[in-house]
Amino acid sequence: MQQIARSVALAFNNLPRPHRVMLGSFTVLTFAVAVWRPYVYHPESSPTPIVKTIELHQNEIRSLLPEASEPIDQTMPDEVEDIPQDELDDKTANEAGVHEYVVSTGDTLSSILNQYGIDMGDITQLASADKELRNLKIGQQISWTLTPEGDLQRLTWEMSRRETRTYDRTASGFKMSSELQKGDWVNAVLNGTVGASFVSSAKQAGLTSAEIGAVIKAMQWQMDFRKLKKGDEFSVLMSREMLDGKREQSQLLGVRLRSAGKDYYAIRAEDGKFYDRNGTGLAKGFLRFPTSKQFRVSSNFNPRRLNPVTGRIAPHKGVDFAMPQGTPVLAVGDGEVVVAKRSGAAGYYVAVRHGRTYTTRYMHLRKLLVKPGQKVKRGDRIALSGNTGRSTGPHLHYEVWINQQAVNPLTAKLPRTEGLTGSDRRDYLAQVKEVVPQLRFD
């Protein structure tokens, strides 16, 4: 042992002086960490452990929140939560609270529901109730309703025109039921002329509220239905299922609208999306982020966030990006500004409507660069970021809403400019040749 010690000492002394200093300091530090133990005082007279919980006053919680976010001990007022609506947004009683989604390329049950903040446990239970849910096909439609607490209550899967499966929440999971449609599908062309409004004129032509909504969504990127004028014409091709003389359900196949002497078309493809007569997609592409560069996420989308004081759900319906004040905020897509004002909780904020399906909101701004009613293009500057309203630091609160439902801006499936190619386009053009001649104005 002594010989080993002498060898080590000799090797140490032969090292250059800077190396000896560094190695010696490291050795002392390592020894100190190894032998150090914190002294904890345990009174012998107290058999109970030291208290492990710390109670905070409500006014102390603010300091523990993520930097640059909204204080979660306070909620946004109703005036901020409300997105401006109009006649075209009206839903029938059985449609209220129902969220719909058409399956597209790359979608899975998990990716679809997760962007709406639905709990992964519910998604797993659904997949266990029916393993075929793992094989969704392009063009199929799913719809669902939520409980007041935001949990999944019921999911409906339209596998085909003939079969619909429904999954209802039970105490032990989800129970599946299947319904086979026995009616005959019949095509019907309905046309008319715009009078007081498109909605009232379409109802006079024989379209239901749900069918009118389908037409508006199909044409939303080409036409602002509020701007249609008296005398404009429309022709709609619907496929309707008839059973014992009654209409059970319907599907929009194509629409033609003539406004100011110009014709606009939207034809349904096999993937459930609508394209023009050449197979070009109608949707306008979106930016993923509302700034020219990415910033740190200081608070994530969380529809089940709990208020630490009350224990009640206080949803965070968007994403907070920590950024310096004065950072340019961009419109993520083409649209119309529907709100640009100051509100107590949101500070200065802007809401932009994109077509009839999407709405984006931008809060805690320092300066507004747009006005209500103004048209904006993707990438346009609409504001400068700030720290106004209820805010714990400079940041941008950003929300994306689809069909009046808040979704996760970081994972939501956003519109993109696309078109059909190859055999899909050939099949579609053959379909166009059958549909367009039927879209006549009487």
Side-chain angles (χ1 to χ4, degrees):
M1 181 63 70
Q2 292 179 352
Q3 185 176 358
I4 295 175
R6 283 197 299 269
S7 299
V8 171
L10 181 61
F12 179 81
N13 292 329
N14 289 332
L15 290 174
R17 187 174 185 281
H19 291 186
R20 293 200 304 273
V21 173
M22 183 172 60
L23 183 58
S25 301
F26 181 75
T27 302
V28 172
L29 180 62
T30 303
F31 179 76
V33 171
V35 301
W36 177 81
R37 293 181 62 188
Y39 178 76
V40 180
Y41 175 67
H42 295 281
E44 296 180 0
S45 60
S46 176
T48 58
I50 298 175
V51 176
K52 295 182 179 179
T53 59
I54 301 175
E55 294 186 1
L56 298 176
H57 294 292
Q58 185 169 344
N59 59 3
E60 294 177 309
I61 295 176
R62 185 183 186 96
S63 63
L64 297 181
L65 298 175
E67 179 190 358
S69 182
E70 292 91 32
I72 57 179
D73 56 325
Q74 303 179 49
T75 57
M76 293 288 187
D78 292 339
E79 64 184 74
V80 177
E81 298 300 337
D82 290 339
I83 293 179
Q85 304 293 303
D86 55 37
E87 178 191 26
L88 301 179
D89 294 309
D90 289 344
K91 290 189 174 184
T92 58
N94 62 342
E95 292 178 306
V98 177
H99 311 295
E100 301 175 343
Y101 189 94
V102 177
V103 180
S104 59
T105 305
D107 281 337
T108 63
L109 182 68
S110 177
S111 68
I112 294 171
L113 298 182
N114 188 254
Q115 65 182 314
Y116 288 84
I118 294 177
D119 187 70
M120 280 301 300
D122 288 345
I123 299 174
T124 301
Q125 289 185 349
L126 274 173
S128 299
D130 183 5
K131 293 183 179 180
E132 290 193 49
L133 277 170
R134 300 172 182 172
N135 300 309
L136 299 178
K137 293 182 172 56
I138 295 174
Q140 293 177 333
Q141 178 172 300
I142 63 173
S143 57
W144 63 91
T145 57
L146 304 176
T147 66
E149 294 75 28
D151 296 319
L152 187 63
Q153 179 66 41
R154 165 182 285 186
L155 183 135
T156 301
W157 178 23
E158 295 181 14
M159 297 183 66
S160 66
R161 284 187 169 189
R162 293 296 179 191
E163 183 176 4
T164 299
R165 295 186 181 182
T166 302
Y167 309 83
D168 289 296
R169 177 183 287 278
T170 67
S172 58
F174 287 90
K175 182 180 179 181
M176 183 192 77
S177 59
S178 179
E179 181 181 359
L180 295 176
Q181 305 294 337
K182 300 178 181 178
D184 296 321
W185 287 85
V186 180
N187 289 354
V189 177
L190 303 98
N191 43 48
T193 303
V194 177
S197 71
F198 172 76
V199 172
S200 60
S201 301
K203 288 182 178 178
Q204 292 177 3
L207 278 77
T208 66
S209 294
E211 291 171 345
I212 293 172
V215 170
I216 292 172
K217 286 184 179 180
M219 299 288 291
Q220 64 180 308
W221 303 110
Q222 302 184 81
M223 181 60 57
D224 185 343
F225 282 81
R226 297 169 301 173
K227 304 293 177 64
L228 291 178
K229 297 181 179 179
K230 190 173 182 178
D232 287 344
E233 299 176 280
F234 59 89
S235 181
V236 178
L237 176 61
M238 300 296 308
S239 181
R240 291 169 165 173
E241 183 198 29
M242 307 299 293
L243 181 62
D244 297 330
K246 297 181 179 180
R247 184 188 314 151
E248 295 294 320
Q249 57 181 326
S250 60
Q251 185 179 80
L252 175 64
L253 299 182
V255 56
R256 175 188 180 190
L257 197 153
R258 177 174 291 173
S259 179
K262 184 178 179 180
D263 285 345
Y264 301 87
Y265 289 86
I267 312 296
R268 183 187 182 96
E270 287 297 323
D271 63 4
K273 298 180 182 179
F274 289 85
Y275 300 84
D276 66 11
R277 286 179 295 175
N278 298 315
T280 302
L282 302 176
K284 305 294 185 181
F286 274 34
L287 301 173
R288 174 59 70 181
F289 299 98
T291 49
S292 58
K293 68 175 184 177
Q294 295 184 31
F295 290 91
R296 178 178 63 85
V297 174
S298 56
S299 185
N300 232 318
F301 175 78
N302 185 359
R304 289 180 179 77
R305 185 180 62 170
L306 292 179
N307 184 311
V309 178
T310 65
R312 298 177 181 175
I313 294 178
H316 191 240
K317 297 183 178 181
V319 169
D320 294 339
F321 296 100
M323 63 182 64
Q325 293 195 54
T327 301
V329 178
L330 312 178
V332 297
D334 295 3
E336 178 183 351
V337 178
V338 292
V339 175
K341 67 175 185 179
R342 174 153 192 161
S343 172
Y348 286 107
Y349 86 100
V350 173
V352 179
R353 188 155 201 170
H354 313 269
R356 301 302 309 181
T357 303
Y358 300 86
T359 303
T360 54
R361 303 202 297 182
Y362 316 76
M363 301 182 186
H364 307 296
L365 307 168
R366 186 176 78 179
K367 183 178 181 180
L368 305 178
L369 302 179
V370 291
K371 298 178 180 179
Q374 182 175 334
K375 299 288 187 180
V376 294
K377 294 288 187 181
R378 180 182 64 180
D380 284 353
R381 292 188 177 191
I382 58 175
L384 299 179
S385 69
N387 190 28
T388 57
R390 295 176 186 167
S391 174
T392 62
H395 77 287
L396 171 68
H397 176 93
Y398 171 56
E399 297 179 1
V400 176
W401 291 63
I402 301 178
N403 291 327
Q404 304 170 38
Q405 169 72 24
V407 299
N408 189 339
L410 301 181
T411 60
K413 193 132 189 179
L414 300 177
R416 60 182 183 182
T417 304
E418 57 187 349
L420 297 170
T421 58
S423 61
D424 291 336
R425 185 171 183 272
R426 288 194 296 271
D427 293 342
Y428 175 79
L429 294 179
Q431 183 178 342
V432 168
K433 290 183 179 179
E434 296 181 4
V435 172
V436 169
Q438 300 180 61
L439 298 173
R440 300 185 301 270
F441 300 126
D442 291 341

